[in-house]
Amino acid sequence: MTVAVATTGLAACGSSSSASGGRVTLNWYINPDGGGTNPTGGGQAQLAAECSTSNYKINVSVLPNSASDQQTQLLRRLAVGDSTVDLMSVDPAYISQFAAAGYFAPVPANMVSTFTAGRVQSSIDASTYDGKLIGVPFWANTQVLWYRKSVVAKAGLDMSKPVTWDQIIAAAQKTKTDIGVQAALYEGYSVWINALVAGAGGQIVENPSASAGDIKMGLNSAAGREAAAIIKKVATTGVGGPAMGSSEESQALTLFSTAGSSGFMVNWPYVWAALAPGAGNPVTWRNSDLGFARYPETVAGKPSAPPVGGIELAVSKYSKHTALAYQAAACITSVQHQEQYMIGTGNPASSKAVYTMPAILKAFPNGLAALISSSLDAGVPRPLSPYWGDISTGLQEKFSPPNAVNQNTAASAQSFILKVLAGKALE
Amino acid sequence: MSTVSDAAGSAAPAAKRRPVLSDRTKAERKLGWYLAGPAFIIMLAVTLYPILYAIWLSFFNYRLTDPAARKFVFLQNYVYALSDPLFWQTVETTFFIVVVTLIFELVIGMGIALVMHRIVLPRRTLRTIVLIPYSIITVVSAFAWLYAATPNLGFIDPWLHTLTFGLTDPTYNWFGGRWSSLFVICASEIWKTTPFMSLLLLAGLAQVDSSMEEAAKVDGATWWQRFYKVILPNMKGALMVAVLFRTLDAVRIYDNPQVMTGGANDTTTLSMLVGSTTVDRVEIGMGSALAVILFIIVLIIAAIFVRLFKVDLTSTGRS
Amino acid sequence: MIWTLVPLLWIFATSLKSPSVFSAPATSTEFGLFWPKHIYWGNYSVIFTGGAKDLFLPALWHSIIVCVLATVISVVLATFCAYAIARLNFPGKKVILTTALALSFFPAIAMVTPLFNLWRQVHLYDTIPGLVIPYITLTLPLSIWILAAFFQQIPWEMEQAAQVDGASSWQAFRKVVAPLAAPGVFTTAIIAFFTAWNDFVFSSNLTSSNSQTVPAALAYFTGASQFQQPTGAICAAAVVVTIPVVILVLVFQRRIVAGLTSGAVKG
C-alpha cells in the first residue's frame, strides 16, 4: 500500500502495478491450496515470496474454491483487459477457452524449452493450444486405483497385473465392499467419463480446436458405450455406495475410510497424506493395508488412460510486465520449487526429475512416486476445446443420475451437446 | 384518493381554462418538469438503456470469448429458448416457488397482521421481531438456511428428529433431491418476506371500517364469517397489491437458490438460467433473449393483475 | 415469533464455532448441533485481522460507500420528482410513475450482461461509479414511488397559505414543504439504502475486487485450504453486516413500516 502511495504518478497512468526504485509488483491469482496466503505455508504463497527478486515482488490473490468460480473471476478480468492480472494459476479445463480468446501473452520463444524439457507429456499437452505452447506446466495431477490389500486378497484379485473395471466391480461384489468414484453433477464426473472413454481408445471430441459449429464428437461410439456400460454397472450393482450420485472426491474418500465397506477407490494422490495415521483420523490401516495401482482398464488388455489434471501457469496479455511474469513462472516451476510444492501441498510435480528425489520418495513411498510419474506419462487430458465447459456440463447432465445410464446415454449426450454447441439448446 | 383521480380532478378545472393557460399554470407545468425531469431522465438513462441493449443483443449468436463469430440471428434465440425442455423446467421451478411461498406468506402474514391489529400493547415488540428478517441481507439468510439444513452441521435435522420422537432421519440430506431442496428454499423465502407481507396486510386492515365488523357481530356472524364476508372484501385492494408485489418479486428469485443449491437437482430458476447462460457460459445472445423473456413474463403478470383484478397501481397512498 | 429469531441466532451461534466443532459436531455442540460448548471468537479475528481480512474489510467499505452514494443521489432526485408529482399539475406525471414502477420490475440479472458489455468498453467495470449507477436503477424508481406516496399525505394547506401570502412555489417548497417532508425523505433513504445493501446480482457480476460489496464477497470466501469450508468466517461476516442494519431498523421501526406500506397501499 505504501508503495502504491509513493508512486501515485505511475498509478495515475492507469498502471496499478507499482514500481518503487524499479521494483515491480506482479499480481499472481492463485487457486486455493493447502498453504493459503501464508508465505511460509508450503503453497503457492510461499513460492511467490521465494521467487520475488530485487526486480519484482510477487503478490498473491486467492481465487474462489470451485474451478467454475475461478473461471468466472479470471474471465471477467481478462474480458475487460484488466492490467493488474500478471500471472494466473489456470485449471486445464478452461485453459483452451482463454487461449482461443487470445487472453494469454505468447510464451517467449527462448523459454519454450525451459518450460517443456523434462516435464510430463500430459502437462505439456494441457498447456498447448492449437499446436503452440500457451502456458507453463506447473503441477500435474493424476488418479490411481486405491485398494485395501486385505480385500483384494479375499477376492483373489492379482494386483501385480493391470486390472479392469469389470474385475474390481466383481471383487467388490464378492467381498461386499464399495468402489469410491466421482459421479456428482460436477467436473469430476466428466473426469471419470473421459478416462473411461479414452481407456477404450475413444475420444469425446475428435477436433478440439474447431469452432463451436464444427466440433465433431466421438462419444457416440463403441468406446462411449463401453464407458456408459461401466458407469451403469457400478451404479446398478450398488458398489458405488449409497450416495454415488452426489459423490465427489471427499465423499469418495469418506466412503473409503469407512470400516467394513472399504474396498476400492479411484482418486488423486492427496489421499496418501489424507489417510496418514494421526490424532482424530479413524483410519489406522494406511501403512499396513493400503495398496495402490494404475487406474483400471476400460477394456481388458487395452492400457488404461489415467485422468490427469493439475494447474498451469499463464501470463495475461494485458499484463504490463509479461517478460518479468514469465521469468517468475520459470522460478515458480523450477525443479526445486516443484519438489518443495509437492511436499508442502501433496500436489504432484510436472517435472519428471522430481519423482526420483529422496524427499519425494520418502513422502510418497513404496513405489507411489513412480506410479504417479508413470500414470502422468500415460494419462489422457480432457479434450482441449475452448467449449469444454459446455461439453462437460452436457456430459454431467446426461450421465446423471448414474443409475439411469444405459446403452443410449452416449448417443443422447452427444446429440444434446452438439445442439448446445450450435446454440440450439440450453443447459 | 388516488393520484390518478386526483390528477383528473384537478385537471378538469384546468381543462375548462385551457384556451387561456394562465401564467400560473404555465409556470407550474414548467416547474413540474424542472423538478421531475432530472430524476425521470436519469432513471431512463440508467435503466432503459441496458434494457434496450439487452433486446438488441438478444438478436445475436454471440459468445463473449469469441467475438469474431458474432452473428445476427434475429428471433432464433427466442425460438430455441421457448422450445427447450430446460427452459420449461425452470419455469416450472420458478412458479412452484412463487405459488408455494405466496400461499404461506398470505396465510401467515394475515395471521400476524390480525394479531398486530388487535393487540395494542406489545405492538412495538411485535413489530421489532417481525422486521428483523426484513433487515437481513438475502444472501445472509440463504447461508443461514443452507447451514441449518446441512446434515451433521445444522440444527434442523436433529430438532425434527427430537420433535417427531425419532421418526425422521437425523442426517437427512435436504439438498439431495429436487423437492426437498425446493422446500428449504421456500421456507427461507417465506421466513424472509412474510414480515413485509404482514405489514402490507396490516395497513389494509386499518382501512376496514370497524363499525361494519361490529354490526356483523351483533347480527350473530361467526368470526370466520366476519373475516370472510366483511374484512376480506374491504381490504381487497391492499391484498391484491401485496400479492402482486410479492409475485413479481418471487418470479425474479435468484440470490436464495443460487447460494443454497446453485441449481443442482433441477432447482434452477428463470433468473438463474439467465445468469448461468450469460455469466458462466458467456453466451451473451441467448442469455439476453432469456432475460427479455423473463421481463415479458413479469410484464404479463403485472398486466393480468391490473386488467383482471383492477389493481390501481398508479394510485399511491393519500388519506 | 421464535420463528423469526432462530435463524438469526443460528448465524450467531455458528460464528462462535471453532473448526474442530465442524469436524465433530455431535460431541462439541448443545441443543441439537445449535450452540457450541466452547465459545470461539477466532472467526471474527479471521475476518478482521486474519486470512479473510483482505476480502472482507474492503468489501465492507465498498458496501458503505456505494450504498450511501446511490441512496443520496436517488433520494435527492426523487425528492424533487415526487414533490412535483404530488403537488404540481403538469402533464406526464402518470407516465413518470408508471415508468418508475415498470422499471422497478425489471429483473436485475437481465441488466448484468448489457452493463458488463458496456462497462468494459468505458472502463467502469470494477469501479465504484460502475456499481453506483446500477444501484441507482434499483433505488431511484423505488424512491420516487415511496416519496410520491409520502408527499401526498402531507397537509398542503400550509403551503397554499404560504403561496397566498405571496411566496412562489419554490419559496413555498423550501420554507414550508421541506421541513414537513423531511421524515418521509429520511424513511425513503433508509429503505433505499437497504435495497442497495441487499444487492447480490450486480455486485457479484460487475466487480472483481476494487468495488466488491459484502454480499458478493461472502459467496467468494475460501477456507484455509481447498478441503476446508469457510462456514465460521462467513457467519462471522454475516453477523457483522447484519447488526448495524438490525439496529437501524429497530431505531426507526415506525417510520420504516410507514414507508413500506404507504408505497404499496392506498391509504
Side-chain angles (χ1 to χ4, degrees):
Chain A
M1 207 54 210
T2 39
V3 180
V5 173
T7 57
T8 34
L10 260 182
C13 298
S15 156
S16 35
S17 304
S18 357
S20 175
R23 199 177 188 218
V24 167
T25 299
L26 296 177
N27 288 312
W28 179 16
Y29 284 83
I30 61 172
N31 61 307
D33 62 21
T37 53
N38 182 355
T40 56
Q44 292 167 83
Q46 181 167 352
L47 296 181
E50 290 177 5
C51 283
S52 293
T53 68
S54 56
N55 287 331
Y56 55 81
K57 179 184 185 299
I58 307 174
N59 265 347
V60 293
S61 304
V62 184
L63 291 164
N65 265 332
S66 83
S68 64
D69 281 346
Q70 292 169 15
Q71 178 211 13
T72 309
Q73 289 279 304
L74 286 177
L75 176 66
R76 283 209 204 107
R77 287 181 184 273
L78 294 167
V80 299
D82 185 344
S83 65
T84 66
V85 181
D86 298 301
L87 267 174
M88 295 166 272
S89 292
V90 186
D91 193 293
Y94 48 89
I95 201 158
S96 317
Q97 184 188 21
F98 291 1
Y103 292 153
F104 295 149
V107 178
N110 59 353
M111 296 184 90
V112 170
S113 62
T114 314
F115 293 147
T116 52
R119 310 220 181 185
V120 296
Q121 192 56 43
S122 54
S123 230
I124 298 172
D125 289 346
S127 310
T128 305
Y129 179 70
D130 218 5
K132 271 210 285 293
L133 191 73
I134 39 79
V136 183
F138 176 27
W139 61 273
N141 222 356
T142 186
Q143 289 199 351
V144 301
L145 171 65
W146 304 92
Y147 60 89
R148 298 281 299 265
K149 289 176 188 165
S150 53
V151 171
V152 165
K154 202 171 150 196
L157 199 58
D158 177 12
M159 297 303 291
S160 66
K161 283 182 287 211
V163 291
T164 63
W165 277 99
D166 283 337
Q167 283 176 308
I168 61 167
I169 292 168
Q173 277 184 292
K174 194 172 160 192
T175 54
K176 297 198 168 50
T177 55
D178 296 325
I179 305 174
V181 292
Q182 293 86 43
L185 199 74
Y186 83 123
E187 179 69 18
Y189 196 10
S190 299
V191 168
W192 188 28
I193 298 168
N194 184 62
L196 291 174
V197 173
Q203 278 179 304
I204 292 178
V205 179
E206 289 171 349
N207 53 347
S209 304
S211 66
D214 301 326
I215 290 262
K216 286 197 174 54
M217 292 183 66
L219 184 61
N220 185 10
S221 62
R225 283 184 288 276
E226 293 277 3
I230 288 171
I231 292 170
K232 181 187 176 193
K233 198 166 173 188
V234 172
T236 51
T237 54
V239 296
M244 179 179 165
S246 55
S247 176
E248 302 186 4
E249 282 92 346
S250 55
Q251 283 89 342
L253 182 57
T254 308
L255 190 71
F256 190 63
S257 310
T258 311
S261 62
S262 166
F264 302 87
M265 171 174 67
V266 284
N267 212 332
W268 311 97
Y270 81 97
V271 165
W272 180 258
L275 292 180
N281 193 343
V283 176
T284 54
W285 40 264
R286 184 189 83 167
N287 295 334
S288 57
D289 201 28
L290 178 62
F292 37 81
R294 174 148 165 184
Y295 199 78
E297 292 177 344
T298 309
V299 182
K302 204 172 249 176
S304 67
V308 290
I311 288 288
E312 297 3 287
L313 287 184
V315 174
S316 164
K317 183 176 82 177
Y318 306 101
S319 162
K320 294 196 159 51
H321 314 285
T322 53
L324 291 179
Y326 272 112
Q327 271 181 37
C331 171
I332 291 164
T333 61
S334 72
V335 175
Q336 295 88 319
H337 278 135
Q338 288 197 35
E339 179 202 14
Q340 177 193 326
Y341 189 71
M342 185 166 174
I343 291 172
T345 61
N347 291 331
S350 65
S351 282
K352 292 183 198 171
V354 170
Y355 292 92
T356 52
M357 291 178 155
I360 297 292
L361 292 173
K362 195 168 160 242
F364 298 85
N366 313 332
L368 182 56
L371 174 65
I372 295 170
S373 177
S374 63
S375 295
L376 282 169
D377 281 335
V380 176
R382 283 153 274 164
L384 299 163
S385 160
Y387 307 100
W388 172 248
D390 284 0
I391 297 167
S392 175
T393 309
L395 280 177
Q396 298 156 32
E397 281 177 7
K398 290 294 162 183
F399 278 79
S400 288
N403 55 12
V405 171
N406 57 43
Q407 67 270 27
N408 298 324
T409 305
S412 66
Q414 169 159 338
S415 65
F416 173 67
I417 291 166
L418 288 174
K419 259 176 94 179
V420 169
L421 290 176
K424 293 178 181 172
L426 301 166
E427 65 172 25
Chain B
M1 194 164 37
S2 73
T3 315
V4 183
S5 52
D6 177 37
S10 44
K16 273 179 210 156
R17 282 183 271 126
R18 177 154 292 164
V20 270
L21 268 180
S22 71
D23 285 349
R24 183 158 191 100
T25 314
K26 270 193 220 158
E28 193 174 318
R29 285 188 171 190
K30 217 167 136 191
L31 181 66
W33 271 106
Y34 274 145
L35 291 175
F40 187 61
I41 289 163
I42 288 179
M43 185 167 71
L44 287 186
V46 296
T47 316
L48 206 58
Y49 180 78
I51 294 176
L52 295 176
Y53 193 31
I55 295 172
W56 171 245
L57 285 173
S58 73
F59 297 140
F60 288 87
N61 203 333
Y62 175 25
R63 178 181 268 263
L64 180 67
T65 51
D66 194 6
R70 177 169 142 156
K71 198 171 72 198
F72 184 80
V73 294
F74 198 40
L75 293 175
Q76 191 187 291
N77 286 330
Y78 292 91
V79 174
Y80 289 141
L82 290 172
S83 58
D84 196 277
L86 180 64
F87 170 79
W88 291 105
Q89 192 190 71
T90 63
V91 170
E92 181 187 288
T93 304
T94 308
F95 280 90
F96 175 81
I97 296 174
V98 169
V99 171
V100 170
T101 55
L102 200 61
I103 291 172
F104 279 91
E105 283 167 15
L106 270 180
V107 172
I108 302 172
M110 184 60 92
I112 297 175
L114 284 172
V115 170
M116 284 174 77
H117 190 56
R118 291 298 142 95
I119 300 170
V120 185
L121 201 65
R123 206 161 168 177
R124 201 184 141 82
T125 327
L126 267 175
R127 203 164 51 199
T128 306
I129 294 170
V130 154
L131 270 175
I132 283 175
Y134 164 76
S135 60
I136 288 174
I137 296 176
T138 313
V139 173
V140 168
S141 125
F143 272 116
W145 285 83
L146 167 66
Y147 293 148
T150 303
N152 291 321
L153 170 66
F155 63 89
I156 291 183
D157 279 338
W159 284 18
L160 268 184
H161 186 71
T162 310
L163 286 175
T164 56
F165 301 104
L167 277 176
T168 57
D169 180 356
T171 55
Y172 182 70
N173 182 9
W174 293 91
F175 298 109
R178 185 182 189 191
W179 301 108
S180 58
S181 302
L182 286 177
F183 181 83
V184 182
I185 291 169
C186 287
S188 147
E189 271 294 292
I190 293 165
W191 176 76
K192 178 88 176 72
T193 46
T194 301
F196 179 65
M197 185 64 112
S198 68
L199 291 176
L200 294 185
L201 295 177
L202 181 64
L205 273 180
Q207 297 172 297
V208 179
D209 190 351
S210 57
S211 62
M212 279 170 74
E213 217 194 321
E214 286 303 318
K217 209 171 182 174
V218 172
D219 290 348
T222 62
W223 181 87
W224 176 250
Q225 282 172 327
R226 294 201 306 273
F227 176 72
Y228 196 70
K229 293 265 169 71
V230 179
I231 298 179
L232 271 190
N234 277 296
M235 58 181 294
K236 187 172 155 261
L239 197 67
M240 291 326 289
V241 171
V243 169
L244 173 60
F245 272 56
R246 276 303 309 147
T247 306
L248 295 183
D249 248 6
V251 167
R252 296 176 289 164
I253 183 169
Y254 177 84
D255 306 8
N256 221 333
Q258 180 70 28
V259 169
M260 283 204 235
T261 68
N265 294 312
D266 303 334
T267 53
T268 307
T269 65
L270 265 170
S271 272
M272 288 165 73
L273 183 65
V274 175
S276 70
T277 309
T278 52
V279 178
D280 302 336
R281 298 186 51 217
V282 292
E283 286 284 3
I284 290 179
M286 179 58 95
S288 300
L290 291 168
V292 172
I293 293 174
L294 176 57
F295 186 42
I296 292 172
I297 291 177
V298 167
L299 287 182
I300 290 175
I301 293 172
I304 290 175
F305 270 84
V306 172
R307 282 284 146 79
L308 245 58
F309 304 118
K310 311 252 183 299
V311 178
D312 189 359
L313 275 175
T314 42
S315 70
T316 52
R318 185 168 189 194
S319 41
Chain C
M1 291 301 131
I2 294 167
W3 165 256
T4 69
L5 284 174
V6 165
L8 195 66
L9 277 177
W10 161 246
I11 278 277
F12 182 60
T14 310
S15 77
L16 299 176
K17 290 175 184 167
S18 68
S20 63
V21 176
F22 296 117
S23 54
T27 51
S28 50
T29 53
E30 293 171 294
F31 310 116
L33 303 186
F34 197 86
W35 194 262
K37 278 188 182 149
H38 299 286
I39 287 183
Y40 170 80
W41 295 100
N43 293 319
Y44 289 89
S45 48
V46 166
I47 58 166
F48 282 115
T49 58
K53 176 188 71 170
D54 296 335
L55 191 61
F56 180 69
L57 291 183
L60 191 60
W61 170 241
H62 299 143
S63 265
I64 293 169
I65 186 150
V66 171
C67 296
V68 166
L69 277 177
T71 303
V72 168
I73 295 171
S74 293
V75 170
V76 167
L77 289 170
T79 302
F80 291 115
C81 181
Y83 170 78
I85 288 172
R87 215 31 228 141
L88 301 175
N89 185 26
F90 66 102
K93 54 196 206 178
K94 192 176 173 179
V95 173
I96 295 178
L97 271 179
T98 314
T99 314
L101 196 70
L103 293 183
S104 69
F105 291 150
F106 194 70
I109 189 81
M111 259 186 270
V112 162
T113 304
L115 283 177
F116 177 78
N117 231 356
L118 184 64
W119 273 194
R120 70 197 185 101
Q121 285 157 27
V122 298
H123 303 296
L124 276 178
Y125 175 79
D126 202 19
T127 61
I128 297 286
L131 205 50
V132 171
I133 294 171
Y135 279 15
I136 291 175
T137 69
L138 296 175
T139 53
L140 184 57
L142 183 81
S143 303
I144 293 177
W145 192 251
I146 297 176
L147 267 174
F150 256 116
F151 284 0
Q152 283 169 340
Q153 293 167 336
I154 291 177
W156 298 102
E157 298 76 19
M158 289 174 71
E159 187 207 21
Q160 272 158 3
Q163 281 180 338
V164 170
D165 288 347
S168 70
S169 292
W170 169 246
Q171 281 168 327
F173 174 80
R174 205 160 47 89
K175 294 261 171 62
V176 184
V177 181
L180 280 174
V185 174
F186 183 74
T187 306
T188 309
I190 293 181
I191 293 171
F193 183 82
F194 276 8
T195 310
W197 187 255
N198 194 34
D199 167 76
F200 172 65
V201 172
F202 286 131
S203 176
S204 63
N205 288 306
L206 296 177
T207 68
S208 298
S209 57
N210 296 329
S211 61
Q212 190 164 66
T213 62
V214 171
L218 282 181
Y220 293 125
F221 267 34
T222 51
S225 77
Q226 72 264 47
F227 304 115
Q228 196 181 325
Q229 289 301 310
T231 310
I234 288 181
C235 290
V239 169
V240 172
V241 297
T242 303
I243 285 173
V245 180
V246 169
I247 291 173
L248 260 183
V249 167
L250 297 191
V251 172
F252 301 110
Q253 46 171 309
R254 248 204 7 229
R255 292 210 171 136
I256 292 169
V257 170
L260 283 177
T261 49
S262 69
V265 181
K266 267 169 97 168

